[in-house]
Amino acid sequence: MSCEQREGGENSQNRKVTDFYPIRRSSRKSKTELKWEQKKLIDDLITNGIEEGMEVQHIEGKGRAVFATQCFQKGDYIVEYHGDLLQITDAKKREAEYAQNPATGCYMYYFQYLCKTYCVDATKETGRMGRLINHSKNGNCQTKLHDINGVPHLILVASRGIDKGEELLYDYGDRSKASIAAHPWLKY
């Protein structure tokens, strides 16, 4: 047998599969690609203030509430808790100002991000729905931090499957005696 035949030349009996079938690449995306695309989609929704799949309704004796107008799967992005992003010292000053007027509701959400304490102050009335989602210890949403270019954004994601027509709820996490005394509904 000649060298050419042994190395897979034209007369070789040992041909490669690719000699008969073209090379095909998978069109499936890697987990990294899928995560990047999902992050980019959420970045765009947050940046553009897009809030879909929800509507505000009035509930007698409760006030405004946000309801799903579509189904959400566990882990789906729901909405941003949108407001002014403050460092803790500025947030405490604002909170003291708000305390002077009992009619001002508390829409301040404190959180830790990269070893710093921040606050999203959503007290100012806007058309955004994240601030209107009510409390429940057994809510169907949960908060999550979402980074866009080093800036933290507080978002709500589905903690379980949510049906169309269901009220969106999350646990505010406030268990202080003073808060529960002022707002007994925090117990539930």
Side-chain angles (χ1 to χ4, degrees), residues 72-111:
F72 291 97
Q73 294 179 13
K74 183 178 180 174
D76 282 354
Y77 168 81
I78 306 286
V79 69
E80 178 187 14
Y81 189 83
H82 179 77
D84 296 333
L85 181 64
L86 306 171
Q87 302 246 356
I88 190 164
T89 51
D90 295 330
K92 291 295 182 186
K93 287 176 191 172
R94 273 201 199 176
E95 197 169 20
E97 289 171 23
Y98 295 154
Q100 303 300 313
N101 182 359
T104 304
C106 184
Y107 295 87
M108 300 185 85
Y109 195 107
Y110 290 88
F111 62 93

Side-chain angles (χ1 to χ4, degrees):
M1 192 180 260
S2 73
C3 247
E4 187 176 293
Q5 288 174 324
R6 273 185 269 135
E7 293 177 7
E10 285 183 38
N11 298 328
S12 173
Q13 305 268 329
N14 297 325
R15 301 190 114 191
K16 298 177 186 173
V17 173
T18 55
D19 291 341
F20 300 101
Y21 300 101
I23 296 174
R24 230 177 37 150
R25 300 279 181 226
S26 173
S27 61
R28 290 175 34 182
K29 296 177 181 175
S30 69
K31 284 185 180 182
T32 303
E33 286 175 305
L34 292 172
K35 280 185 178 183
W36 183 87
E37 285 179 2
Q38 182 67 21
K39 183 188 179 328
K40 180 82 173 94
L41 174 65
I42 294 171
D43 288 357
D44 291 344
L45 292 171
I46 291 170
T47 303
N48 296 312
I50 297 170
E51 298 181 342
E52 298 175 325
M54 301 164 286
E55 69 180 5
V56 178
Q57 295 179 17
H58 187 270
I59 298 176
E60 193 64 40
K62 189 174 183 179
R64 293 179 290 180
V66 181
F67 287 82
T69 59
Q70 70 180 44
C71 293
F72 291 97
Q73 294 179 13
K74 183 178 180 174
D76 282 354
Y77 168 81
I78 306 286
V79 69
E80 178 187 14
Y81 189 83
H82 179 77
D84 296 333
L85 181 64
L86 306 171
Q87 302 246 356
I88 190 164
T89 51
D90 295 330
K92 291 295 182 186
K93 287 176 191 172
R94 273 201 199 176
E95 197 169 20
E97 289 171 23
Y98 295 154
Q100 303 300 313
N101 182 359
T104 304
C106 184
Y107 295 87
M108 300 185 85
Y109 195 107
Y110 290 88
F111 62 93
Q112 294 277 320
Y113 179 71
L114 299 178
C115 302
K116 286 186 179 179
T117 301
Y118 291 92
C119 175
V120 173
D121 179 7
T123 304
K124 183 179 174 186
E125 188 72 46
T126 66
R128 305 296 290 267
M129 287 186 259
R131 68 187 291 276
L132 301 177
I133 295 179
N134 289 318
H135 165 80
S136 172
K137 276 189 177 179
N138 302 311
N140 50 20
C141 299
Q142 63 190 31
T143 57
K144 186 177 175 182
L145 290 176
H146 184 85
D147 178 288
I148 300 178
N149 299 323
V151 178
H153 292 262
L154 190 62
I155 65 171
L156 294 167
V157 297
S159 58
R160 61 167 174 78
I162 300 172
D163 293 326
K164 182 178 178 178
E166 222 180 308
E167 183 180 3
L168 299 174
L169 301 161
Y170 74 102
D171 186 351
Y172 290 179
D174 194 348
R175 305 283 189 269
S176 70
K177 287 182 181 181
S179 293
I180 291 174
H183 311 290
W185 46 264
L186 284 171
K187 291 189 280 188
Y188 308 104

